[in-house]
């Protein structure tokens, strides 16, 4: 049991994630339009300009005025619904559960050409407390789901969502991610992710929230295992089968030669 506790996020981990979501210190705004903002963290002492680290921390905030916090929380959890709204998803499935509020899953996604597509295996944990919804994940190693030759295995150092009601049918929705894409990505790719790709994904998530109640009405409306653990049919996993995935143990794919020629047309 101690091994199980050691890998699962505790109260301190959730509190720390919430603090990062609400913090304004050392964050540089990259996008601010239509009730949506995107920031990149600049750690104290870091220089601006070309010294943006590849493993940066990005935060996206959206003020949603027509969807409840509870609905947005369901949207993020509902894997069956995700295939209807996520334009970047290649494949996604749950592998097993570790506790009533934690599971392990697989996700692969499309990357802008000519980059190779990425995938991750993550441990996800969630908490509903004091009218706030938090979901956090990080990469783990699972012997039955090793890296695939056609994909680059990326690393989620810390990724998640903080959702807070601001009314009965409105909420603040924050997505925060620190990840290592495991490739030699130039600065313009990092900028495109924060200025173009992230806002695009947030718009898709918002649209998904608008469409979810009608979709769910026709797709097992009473089944929400993230709220009702007794409905969860995933097999229980022995915690010894997973361990934290360290970025330095994975191959670092050099894609710089592929993408340098794209910078002129794509960095604007």
């Amino acid at each position: 049991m101690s091994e199980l506790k050691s890998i699962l996020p505790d109260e301190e981990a959730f509190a720390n994630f919430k603090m990062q979501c609400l913090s304004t210190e050392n964050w540089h705004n990259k996008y601010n339009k239509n009730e949506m903002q995107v920031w990149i963290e600049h750690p104290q002492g870091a220089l601006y300009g070309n010294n943006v680290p590849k493993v940066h921390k990005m935060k996206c905030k959206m003020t949603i005025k027509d969807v409840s916090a509870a609905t947005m929380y369901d949207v993020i959890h509902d894997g069956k619904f995700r295939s209807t709204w996520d334009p970047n998803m290649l494949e996604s499935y749950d592998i097993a559960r570790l506790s009533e509020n934690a599971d392990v899953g697989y996700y692969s996604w499309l990357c802008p050409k000519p980059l190779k597509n990425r995938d991750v295996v993550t441990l996800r944990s969630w908490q509903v407390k004091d009218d706030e919804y938090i979901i956090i994940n990080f990469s783990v190693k699972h012997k039955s789901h090793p890296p695939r030759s056609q994909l680059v295995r990326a690393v989620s150092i810390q990724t998640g969502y903080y959702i807070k009601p601001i009314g009965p049918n409105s909420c603040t929705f924050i997505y925060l991610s620190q990840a290592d894409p495991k490739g030699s990505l130039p600065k313009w790719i990092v900028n495109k992710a924060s200025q173009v790709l992230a806002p695009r994904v947030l718009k898709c998530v918002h649209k998904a929230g608008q469409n979810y109640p009608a979709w769910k009405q026709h797709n097992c409306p009473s089944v929400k295992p993230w709220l009702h653990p007794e409905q969860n049919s995933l097999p229980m996993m022995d915690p010894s089968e997973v361990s934290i995935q360290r970025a330095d143990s994975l191959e670092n794919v050099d894609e710089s030669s592929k993408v340098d020629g794209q910078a002129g047309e794509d960095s604007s």
Side-chain angles (χ1 to χ4, degrees), residues 102-225:
D103 59 20
V104 176
Y106 174 86
Y107 179 76
S108 60
W109 70 95
L110 291 162
C111 288
K113 291 183 178 180
L115 300 176
K116 292 187 74 172
N117 296 327
R118 261 68 176 170
D119 71 351
V120 287
V121 174
T122 58
L123 188 159
R124 175 181 62 171
S125 188
W126 54 92
Q127 180 184 84
V128 180
K129 186 178 179 182
D130 300 329
D131 209 23
E132 298 173 334
Y133 302 83
I134 300 176
I135 306 171
I136 54 180
N137 78 56
F138 54 87
S139 284
V140 292
K141 287 190 286 188
H142 188 297
K143 61 185 178 182
S144 300
H145 300 272
R148 302 179 179 183
S149 59
Q150 71 272 31
L151 297 166
V152 175
R153 177 62 51 89
V155 176
S156 168
I157 299 167
Q158 181 185 51
T159 299
Y161 303 86
Y162 173 81
I163 309 170
K164 173 80 173 177
I166 52 178
N169 204 40
S170 57
C171 63
T172 295
F173 182 97
I174 297 175
Y175 167 76
L176 186 147
S177 178
Q178 183 177 22
D180 188 341
K182 297 306 297 178
S184 302
L185 306 183
K187 179 174 176 288
W188 69 266
I189 287 283
V190 176
N191 285 336
K192 185 173 183 179
S194 60
Q195 297 171 15
V196 180
L197 302 180
R200 189 181 298 165
V201 172
L202 283 184
K203 289 172 186 173
C204 289
V205 174
H206 181 194
K207 187 71 174 176
Q210 294 170 328
N211 295 335
Y212 184 71
W215 179 90
K216 188 62 176 171
Q217 200 62 39
H218 300 282
N219 292 271
C220 305
S222 62
V223 178
K224 295 183 179 182

Side-chain angles (χ1 to χ4, degrees), residues 16 31 37 56 59 63 65 85 90 93 117 119 125 131 136 139 143 186-187 220 225 239 243 248 253 260 263-264:
N16 180 265
Y31 182 95
Q37 299 91 38
H56 64 281
K59 178 164 60 178
T63 301
K65 297 181 176 180
W85 66 263
L90 284 173
Y93 54 85
N117 296 327
D119 71 351
S125 188
D131 209 23
I136 54 180
S139 284
K143 61 185 178 182
K187 179 174 176 288
C220 305
S243 59
D248 55 12
V253 179
D260 282 345

Side-chain angles (χ1 to χ4, degrees), residues 13 34 36 40 45 57 60 77 82 92 107 128 145 163 166 191 195 198 215 228 244 250 255:
N34 301 325
M36 193 184 301
I40 298 293
K57 193 179 292 183
C60 312
H77 268 292
R82 185 160 194 164
S92 180
Y107 179 76
V128 180
H145 300 272
I163 309 170
I166 52 178
N191 285 336
Q195 297 171 15
W215 179 90
H228 311 292
I244 293 176
L250 291 168
E255 298 167 290

